[in-house]
Amino acid sequence: FTLELPLFYRRLAAEVFGTGNVPMLLLALSQSRTAVLVERWRVFELVIPHAVAVRAAFQNIDAMPRALTWADALPKLLGKSGIARKIAFDLGSGSEPFECIVSKVDSSWGSDGVPPHFVSQGTVFPPDKAPSEDAFHFQLTTNEQAAVVRWQMKLFQPNTTLTQATLRKEVAKCMTVITEVFIVACTQYGPELLEAINCNDAVLVLREYSSGVAAEYAIGPKFGDSRVLWRPTGHTGEWQQFPSTDDFLGDVNKPSIITVRPGLEVVLPHPTVVSDLVGKQIMDGLLKRAKPDPQLIVTGLGEILSKMNAPAAPMEMADPAAVSDTV
């Protein structure tokens, strides 16, 4: 379905909630973000943090078992992440999990440099056209150290995919010091990345080589059962089969290298894992290009009221099979 709200609704949202903290799905309707919900990529940026907020809100009212860590809260997505098992899952209480803070994010922040009002206070969204990722959750580890869960949402249409070159650029934007989990929520990968994800049980996690040592990765169809090779940064020539640290296998001819710094994990989930998180119907609606049936479009408050006050008779509607579920 397509929902269009008059300008005064958007102005009211901005007036009531301000341009800083805005409840999740109203964020796209307020003046703090210029686009509205009819843009699919905008909805995709919001529904994933919203799904996380719902998980946090339900556990706050004891409707679900309490998740102590992010790996507990999102096991399909983050169950293989070592860092996610050390980050406490806390987005605040009451309505706080649904709050959004629109603010610039400095990639040079250290473990002591994160503004305290960001920690456990919903989701931080950079301003439009900011060079950083789409959304951030600033948290504390189980031993009270600053950490961040960073999200990059990639809603690709047919004939477009996430390539290794693009992934390398995105990874290079990550924080320079702070402990971080970088999740790439992507709807379509290039063939080499997709095969590597499939060969690693639907979620590929790239991490540091060892404590304090960065890792270099090469991904390709000829690189063993996991389709991934790795080595410690600075080790020229030979590679190892990921995730083994035993035998070096020799050199690779001009691979496309992705470097992961110490304290960072890059989580690459299969599109079906992302769909499970946000809901299959929502994902299908975002990916379809169908337009709403003109007979079902309602415009203006008067038309809405007339339909509400109409006699209780069956409404003349288009064939349900032809109704679009496009967002």
Side-chain angles (χ1 to χ4, degrees):
F1 63 91
T2 298
L3 174 65
E4 296 186 19
L5 295 181
L7 179 60
F8 66 84
Y9 279 131
R10 304 207 302 271
R11 288 176 175 169
L12 177 61
E15 180 177 335
V16 172
F17 299 105
T19 57
N21 297 348
V22 183
M24 187 69 62
L25 292 180
L26 284 179
L27 179 67
L29 304 177
S30 73
Q31 292 179 334
S32 62
R33 304 271 278 196
T34 57
V36 295
L37 281 173
V38 293
E39 297 180 86
R40 289 180 177 86
W41 62 269
R42 176 73 73 194
V43 180
F44 190 55
E45 287 184 357
L46 292 172
V47 293
I48 291 178
H50 185 266
V52 176
V54 169
R55 176 67 176 90
F58 268 100
Q59 79 168 19
N60 287 341
I61 59 173
D62 297 325
M64 297 179 69
R66 186 159 190 85
L68 299 180
T69 69
W70 276 75
D72 296 333
L74 305 172
K76 288 185 178 180
L77 178 65
L78 296 175
K80 296 169 65 176
S81 168
I83 293 179
R85 289 195 293 269
K86 300 176 182 178
I87 300 178
F89 184 64
D90 181 10
L91 302 187
S93 59
S95 64
E96 289 177 345
F98 295 96
E99 290 185 358
C100 304
I101 302 173
V102 180
S103 175
K104 292 182 179 180
V105 176
D106 190 339
S107 63
S108 66
W109 284 339
S111 58
D112 298 325
V114 177
H117 65 277
F118 283 172
V119 177
S120 302
Q121 293 293 320
T123 308
V124 178
F125 288 92
D128 281 339
K129 301 188 183 302
S132 55
E133 266 52 56
D134 295 327
F136 298 80
H137 290 102
F138 289 94
Q139 302 281 264
L140 295 176
T141 63
T142 50
N143 60 355
E144 299 296 311
Q145 299 297 310
V148 63
V149 178
R150 173 191 297 243
W151 301 84
Q152 176 69 66
M153 276 64 92
K154 295 288 188 181
L155 182 67
F156 287 106
Q157 298 301 331
N159 303 319
T160 57
T161 60
L162 178 66
T163 65
Q164 291 193 56
T166 300
L167 177 61
R168 183 168 56 251
K169 293 177 181 178
E170 299 295 348
V171 173
K173 297 178 185 177
C174 291
M175 300 287 188
T176 56
V177 177
I178 195 171
T179 299
E180 179 176 353
V181 176
F182 175 35
I183 305 166
V184 182
C186 178
T187 56
Q188 291 187 132
Y189 292 95
E192 293 182 347
L193 283 173
L194 183 59
E195 185 174 357
I197 292 169
N198 283 329
C199 291
N200 286 272
D201 300 322
V203 179
L204 174 60
V205 180
L206 307 181
R207 54 179 171 80
E208 64 183 10
Y209 186 82
S210 59
S211 180
V213 179
E216 294 179 348
Y217 288 86
I219 299 174
K222 298 180 180 180
F223 297 161
D225 293 340
S226 69
R227 304 301 192 267
V228 181
L229 301 179
W230 73 330
R231 66 186 180 188
T233 298
H235 185 98
T236 58
E238 297 180 320
W239 294 80
Q240 294 169 304
Q241 180 73 61
F242 177 78
S244 173
T245 58
D246 295 334
D247 299 324
F248 283 92
L249 306 176
D251 201 1
V252 175
N253 184 30
K254 296 181 180 180
S256 177
I257 296 176
I258 298 172
T259 302
V260 177
R261 66 160 176 83
L264 169 67
E265 284 185 346
V266 181
V267 179
L268 303 173
H270 192 277
T272 56
V273 177
V274 178
S275 180
D276 288 344
L277 176 62
V278 303
K280 186 178 184 302
Q281 288 181 317
I282 292 176
M283 184 62 69
D284 289 347
L286 290 170
L287 294 174
K288 289 181 180 179
R289 287 181 172 273
K291 294 182 179 180
D293 190 311
Q295 298 183 49
L296 300 181
I297 295 178
V298 177
T299 58
L301 184 60
E303 188 175 354
I304 294 175
L305 292 175
S306 67
K307 290 187 178 295
M308 292 175 62
N309 296 326
M315 294 180 62
E316 294 183 2
M317 300 184 68
D319 180 0
V323 177
S324 168
D325 62 352
T326 301
V327 178

